[in-house]
Amino acid sequence: MTNLPPPAEELRILDAELRQLDLRRAVLLRRRAWLVHTLRAAAAPQPAQGTGAAPGGPPAGPAAGAAARRPETTAPGVQNVLLVLGGVLLTIAAIAFTLVSWGHLGIAGRSLVLGALTVGALGAPVTLLRRGLRATAEAVSGLATALTVLDAYALHEVAFTGADGVGYAAAASAVLAALWAAYGVRLGLFHPLPLAVATAHLPLLLWAIAVGAGPLPLTAVLLATAAGGSAVALRAVSAPVRVVAVVGALGTGAVGVLSAGWLCWSASDPGSAARAAALLVVAAAVALMTGRFVPNREVAVAAAAAAGLCLVAGSAGVLRVSVPGEWTVPGCQLFAMLLLAAERTSLPLPLRQGLVRAAAAVQGFAVLWAVPLVAGSVLGPAVQAVTPWSGAPRTVRDAVFAGVPAPAYASTVPLVLAVVAAALVVAGRRTPRRPAVMVVALVLGWAAVLVLPVALQLPYTAGLVTQAAVVVAALGLAVRSDRADGGPSPLALTALLLAILTSVDLALLSLASESATIGVLVTLTVLFGAAGRRPRHAPFTVPAALAHATALACALGASVGLRPPHTALLVLVVPAVAALIASRSSGSRATVPVEVAGAAAGLLALALAVPDPPMLALVLSLNGVVAAATALRPERRAVGWAAAVLLPAAAWVRLAAWEVGTPEAYTLPVTGPALVVGYLRRRRDTAVSSWTAYGPGLAATLVPSLLAAWDDQHWLRPLLLGVAALAVTLVGARLRLQAPLVLGAGVLALVAMHELAPYLTQVVGALPRWVPPALAGLVLLVLGATYEHRLRDARRLREALGRLR
């Protein structure tokens, strides 16, 4: 047997089907109008040949042009514009009549005129719909709805002048919403229903304002209105009605939830907080019911998440006035954990996912609440570097937050972080993204242990021991993670980085006490050095051990009373050890980090030795020796250039400390080794040119000496330089080497010119003024006469030099 629906439900279904048919009929009419226009344009006569229009050109006359011109608007578009404009103008005229010309008529005349207009506007759409004029009916019904508003206003001004304006507006909005809804449903019109739904959001709120309701009742009214809007949105068939209902429900619901949250968190006693929390529970129930029946999955998830946040916010507001302040956030975490129980219920999957997301969001907010204390615990010890060894404080908090107040409610921060870390560990077992979840859990657990001494205000020594235990535990976890995973893993890498960060924090924290500094640095150096024996960890642990060893050297120097330049000698042990380790681990991933750490220690030693030139010379020479030893490795030949710079620089600094001003004292120590190196290189590789082998060494002495001799007024330096240049020239000629021959000859010529310059000046001064031009002309004449011969000689000289090695 066929199950027939109730009459009311069947009537609603038929009305919906009729509205769909009307919409489809309007679309088909617009399509028909376009087809008729297209056929008429195609059937229009084309201009014949010889009528004044060229083939392919524009039409000959205005009639042809009008037939070929395409309309810019469609007939339905023109119709809608005219109807809307007519309705708007009539509405404006009605408003003007009601507000301006009202007093010119008597009470009977005014009532008759406005009533007649309203009745006529309300009844006209019936006739128009019977004739198929739906668009015109919609326009007239719009005028009718505007007239009903004016009727309500007029009724207040005539019959209910003593009534409260807000209360009357509430009653009028309720009556108008019901009237428009019935009118729209009865006639199947388009706009009255959305307008009725929008107006239906006003009566309760206006009524609450009229009776002077407080914040709590107003909030309840807003939530009730939101619940009604949600129900309409879920039941409505028409898309415009759903859109209006959703917008209204979201607006009133958001304002209601914010108001309830403010009332809950600003309450001064548990009773007020509980009443406001009850409103948040109501809001959560409305959101869950909406998510239960809404067809869109994403909307359902969002609604459930909002419901979960409302529940947690309400419980947090009650906790704030019921327990000490530091337990508010842990209480919120506990309620968020309870939301996870929804996973084991029979709720639809989108609702369960939304509640889980709400719980995750609460945990995220809790972590953000703990960030200030964690950041202070990590960065605060750096203040000890400003005034090292100023005395051990009483507690760790005094050392970390020296001179600044610690964050409020810090005692429960470790608990908050530990709870989130434990939740992630449990959740990570059931997720495919387990490595990332475990890394986050590790970071949060590390933060919980790191801030524990600060939060509990443990003694200074206990704080140092706790952080040292964190370093040991992080290194152990890195080793264990590698063993479990069979290779480097994100968890092991994170553990190593946390160990290094904690060690730096521990070293800075220990600067408050001399004995603590030395003890901590020795421990860290040994600990990271032992961890560096594992090849997978060596790129991180060995440089860390070298860095701590460098700090230990500085601390030992300061402890025994050495000046910074003398402490630099202790620091130089680190580059030597780094070079030794790099030579033994050549080719591994740890080689470059170890060499970088050693180079950084060498630069620190140079910076410490700068105030004392003799000690700076010694440090430069020792650095040069370490660089030269590194350059002995085939893959590190380029470091030899650094040794070639450091060793001469050491000699120059020593000479400057002795106040030696003779340039040859600076250049000859460079020239000798450079020539030896060039000689050895040419013995191994005969293809190396003399410019590469001997040019730099010879130029290092000849050029500075030449510049010094040019301004020297004595005869000894030019004589010695000339003899040396002559010797170099002869050696170059004997061995047929281009670089010594050219450099020696050039320097010898310049020295000879420098010595003959005074005499040439005297000769030129004694000659008559006509002699120089005459000599110049004679020279030019001779050169011009023998140009070809000289060119041939120049080519022969170039070929002879080219045959030299």
Side-chain angles (χ1 to χ4, degrees), residues 143-208:
L143 173 62
T145 53
L147 288 176
T148 54
V149 177
L150 296 177
D151 286 335
Y153 168 74
L155 190 61
H156 177 268
E157 293 296 323
V158 174
F160 300 98
T161 54
D164 177 62
V166 180
Y168 180 81
S173 59
V175 173
L176 289 177
L179 176 63
W180 292 340
Y183 185 68
V185 172
R186 179 66 182 84
L187 298 183
L189 295 175
F190 180 78
H191 84 281
L193 281 178
L195 189 60
V197 172
T199 309
H201 288 80
L202 300 177
L204 282 178
L205 181 60
L206 294 176
W207 172 78

Side-chain angles (χ1 to χ4, degrees), residues 107-142:
I107 182 66
R110 286 177 291 183
S111 302
L112 289 175
V113 171
L114 194 56
L117 288 175
T118 304
V119 172
L122 290 174
V126 178
T127 305
L128 294 173
L129 288 174
R130 290 176 180 175
R131 296 179 178 273
L133 302 176
R134 172 164 291 276
T136 307
E138 291 283 354
V140 175
S141 66

Side-chain angles (χ1 to χ4, degrees), residues 116-358:
L117 288 175
T118 304
V119 172
L122 290 174
V126 178
T127 305
L128 294 173
L129 288 174
R130 290 176 180 175
R131 296 179 178 273
L133 302 176
R134 172 164 291 276
T136 307
E138 291 283 354
V140 175
S141 66
L143 173 62
T145 53
L147 288 176
T148 54
V149 177
L150 296 177
D151 286 335
Y153 168 74
L155 190 61
H156 177 268
E157 293 296 323
V158 174
F160 300 98
T161 54
D164 177 62
V166 180
Y168 180 81
S173 59
V175 173
L176 289 177
L179 176 63
W180 292 340
Y183 185 68
V185 172
R186 179 66 182 84
L187 298 183
L189 295 175
F190 180 78
H191 84 281
L193 281 178
L195 189 60
V197 172
T199 309
H201 288 80
L202 300 177
L204 282 178
L205 181 60
L206 294 176
W207 172 78
I209 296 173
V211 299
L216 198 65
L218 280 175
T219 303
V221 166
L222 286 171
L223 294 177
T225 304
S230 301
V232 172
L234 292 174
R235 297 285 296 175
V237 177
S238 174
V241 173
R242 284 200 305 270
V243 170
V244 172
V246 167
V247 172
L250 288 178
T252 55
V255 175
V257 168
L258 292 177
S259 177
W262 178 80
L263 291 174
C264 189
W265 279 84
S266 62
S268 58
D269 58 274
S272 301
R275 286 189 291 272
L279 293 180
L280 288 174
V281 172
V282 171
V286 172
L288 283 177
M289 291 300 295
T290 303
R292 173 67 177 81
F293 294 103
V294 72
N296 189 290
R297 181 180 178 278
E298 295 298 328
V299 175
V301 172
L309 293 177
C310 288
L311 292 175
V312 175
S315 62
V318 176
L319 285 175
R320 191 189 65 82
V321 295
S322 304
V323 298
E326 60 267 19
W327 291 101
T328 301
V329 175
C332 293
Q333 284 188 297
L334 177 60
F335 280 101
M337 293 295 181
L338 295 178
L339 293 179
L340 297 178
E343 284 284 350
R344 300 182 180 275
T345 63
S346 59
L347 288 174
L349 179 60
L351 297 186
R352 285 181 283 158
Q353 291 178 342
L355 292 175
V356 171
R357 292 184 183 182

Side-chain angles (χ1 to χ4, degrees), residues 567-627:
T567 304
L569 296 178
L570 294 177
V571 177
L572 281 176
V573 176
V574 177
V577 173
L580 180 61
I581 294 174
S583 64
R584 298 187 62 180
S585 63
S586 180
S588 67
R589 294 185 303 161
T591 303
V592 174
V594 167
E595 291 175 342
V596 171
L603 292 176
L604 177 61
L606 290 176
L608 293 173
V610 166
D612 190 348
M615 189 59 63
L616 178 61
L618 179 58
V619 171
L620 283 170
S621 62
L622 293 177
N623 271 319
V625 171
V626 173

